Amino acid sequence: MTLLAGIRSRIIDTDRLHVGILERDGDDAAADTTVVLVHGNVSSSLFWQEVMQDLPSDLRVIAVDLRGFGLTESLPIDATRGVRDFSDDLHATLTALGLDAAHLVGWSMGGGVVMQYALDHPVLSLTLQAPVSPYGFGGTRRDGSRLTDDDAGTGGGGANPDFVARLQAGDTSEEAQTSPRSVFRSGYVAPGYTSAHEDLWVESMNTTSTAEGNYPGDGVASQNWPGFAAGTIGVLNTMTPRYFDTSGIVDLAVKPPVLWIHGTADAIVSDTSFFDLNYLGQVGVIPGWPGADVAPAQEMVSQTRDVLDAYRAAGGEVTEVELEGVGHSPHLERPAQFRRALLQVIGYLDRPADPAPPTENIILSSSD
């Protein structure tokens, strides 16, 4: 693993599996505030390192590898539990670290994991960065109702086999549109984004386990367009609407404050997602689309907004930060805005100032 300055890794033994985490040199395990960062699909904790370097030194910051990613064991994933295998692993990790509650940050699929966590355990705040819709990925109408009984067009059967093969091979090239590097450039960030750490982001993607029961998961034949439906094991099936629904956060008795931060140029989580097969059918990329009455594109961002509006109406605190021209990775593309919004939701910016605080930890650049 490639680690940036001040970041270290270790393995945590939990009662469920061995979990890889990243921590910062010098962080105090007894710090008043702990922030836990949860990555998304086809990535790992490595993606959080710049954020970890940039957050104030009096916080405790931990980035966790989900099952089958990074340094965490690649045990099979029971998709019929939704993302609960991931959420339960996270709880086991925080328990092993002696953390009763923390501020949780979830990116993409990780947003779904931390929403599920909040349904099952106390949390101090939720930061949802470009999160999967509360109704899962694909196969639903605006109100979250399922399009078909078998969730046709969703799950493991929709993964590109060449992309999976390149992940398995650890491909770092840019020779094909299906290479991890090309997918990062076209899907994870908006056009024009560049980084000196791109090799590190590709390294993170290539930690994805393609063993049976991990990424992408299985699929089954379907009589519904486009001819396949969700299976029962593996990563992509955890987010199919039959198994995944975190809209119940609206009914939480104790509602943690929520930050929703996302970009307007997100190619993955969008009302017009290029990773939604129904939308690809609508624009003619996949032939035979049966029409919007049968297979409408999933309005992912609108669904999230509807649920969070209901959360607010039920007494919860929600802050939305929408970043113009930003893709699927605000923490990489607009780090200063991400940092400020996160520090606001965890209450850090409301603290009384220390007598002599480190300047670099409290002044945010407006140039990002």
Side-chain angles (χ1 to χ4, degrees), residues 10-366:
R10 64 177 170 127
I11 304 294
I12 301 297
D13 293 327
T14 78
D15 59 6
R16 290 175 58 81
L17 77 174
H18 303 305
V19 176
I21 68 169
L22 298 184
E23 298 171 294
R24 302 188 302 183
D25 294 338
D27 273 9
D28 184 357
D32 291 337
T33 304
T34 299
V35 177
V36 178
L37 306 167
V38 182
H39 64 82
N41 191 16
V42 191
S43 61
S44 74
S45 61
L46 294 177
F47 264 99
W48 291 116
Q49 291 187 82
E50 289 181 325
V51 172
M52 296 177 73
Q53 288 180 318
D54 197 37
L55 287 173
S57 59
D58 54 342
L59 301 176
R60 185 184 186 189
V61 184
I62 300 166
V64 178
D65 285 326
L66 297 176
R67 176 182 300 214
F69 300 94
L71 295 180
T72 295
E73 282 189 89
S74 56
L75 299 182
I77 298 162
D78 179 1
T80 66
R81 303 186 69 233
V83 294
R84 289 178 181 87
D85 274 355
F86 294 134
S87 176
D88 289 351
D89 292 346
L90 179 61
H91 182 253
T93 304
L94 299 192
T95 298
L97 291 169
L99 293 168
D100 295 327
H103 298 278
L104 300 186
V105 180
W107 173 31
S108 194
M109 181 181 75
V113 173
V114 301
M115 283 189 280
Q116 182 62 55
Y117 191 102
L119 289 172
D120 299 330
H121 309 285
V123 301
L124 300 179
S125 71
L126 287 176
T127 294
L128 307 176
Q129 177 184 242
V132 63
S133 162
Y135 300 114
F137 199 95
T140 58
R141 300 175 183 85
R142 172 77 176 261
D143 64 1
S145 58
R146 293 163 62 197
L147 299 178
T148 64
D149 291 338
D150 60 359
D151 296 331
T154 72
N160 186 299
D162 191 60
F163 176 61
V164 176
R166 289 175 182 273
L167 284 176
Q168 188 172 26
D171 181 12
T172 61
S173 73
E174 52 184 282
E175 66 182 30
Q177 290 183 338
T178 52
S179 74
R181 188 179 300 274
S182 295
V183 171
F184 170 79
R185 292 175 179 175
S186 64
Y188 285 41
V189 292
Y193 169 85
T194 60
S195 170
H197 297 308
E198 185 178 87
D199 287 348
L200 177 54
W201 314 145
V202 175
E203 176 186 338
S204 178
M205 295 172 71
N206 279 331
T207 69
T208 302
S209 172
T210 56
E212 184 176 1
N214 293 111
Y215 184 84
D218 62 342
V220 298
S222 173
Q223 294 182 346
N224 299 303
W225 186 88
F228 72 89
T232 60
I233 59 172
V235 175
L236 295 186
N237 292 312
T238 66
M239 294 175 282
T240 57
R242 182 191 313 181
Y243 306 131
F244 180 95
D245 185 346
T246 58
S247 63
I249 61 171
V250 170
D251 300 318
L252 287 173
V254 178
K255 294 180 171 61
V258 173
L259 165 64
W260 176 30
I261 183 165
H262 60 107
T264 62
D266 192 335
I268 297 176
V269 175
S270 167
D271 285 1
T272 54
S273 169
F274 285 96
F275 290 73
D276 176 9
L277 269 66
N278 286 357
Y279 180 69
L280 293 180
Q282 177 183 320
V283 298
V285 174
I286 299 177
W289 183 59
D293 290 342
V294 176
Q298 184 188 11
E299 298 176 78
M300 303 176 187
V301 172
S302 296
Q303 288 176 333
T304 297
R305 183 169 287 114
D306 290 346
V307 169
L308 293 182
D309 282 349
Y311 187 89
R312 185 185 292 109
E317 177 187 339
V318 178
T319 301
E320 178 181 358
V321 177
E322 185 176 67
L323 300 172
E324 185 68 30
V326 170
H328 193 57
S329 308
H331 73 293
L332 299 182
E333 300 171 72
R334 294 290 186 273
Q337 285 91 330
F338 177 85
R339 180 185 191 268
R340 177 181 288 277
L342 173 58
L343 293 179
Q344 187 69 58
V345 77
I346 69 174
Y348 187 87
L349 297 182
D350 299 327
R351 294 179 178 182
D354 292 332
T359 302
E360 68 273 17
N361 281 342
I362 62 171
I363 297 178
L364 305 177
S365 169
S366 62

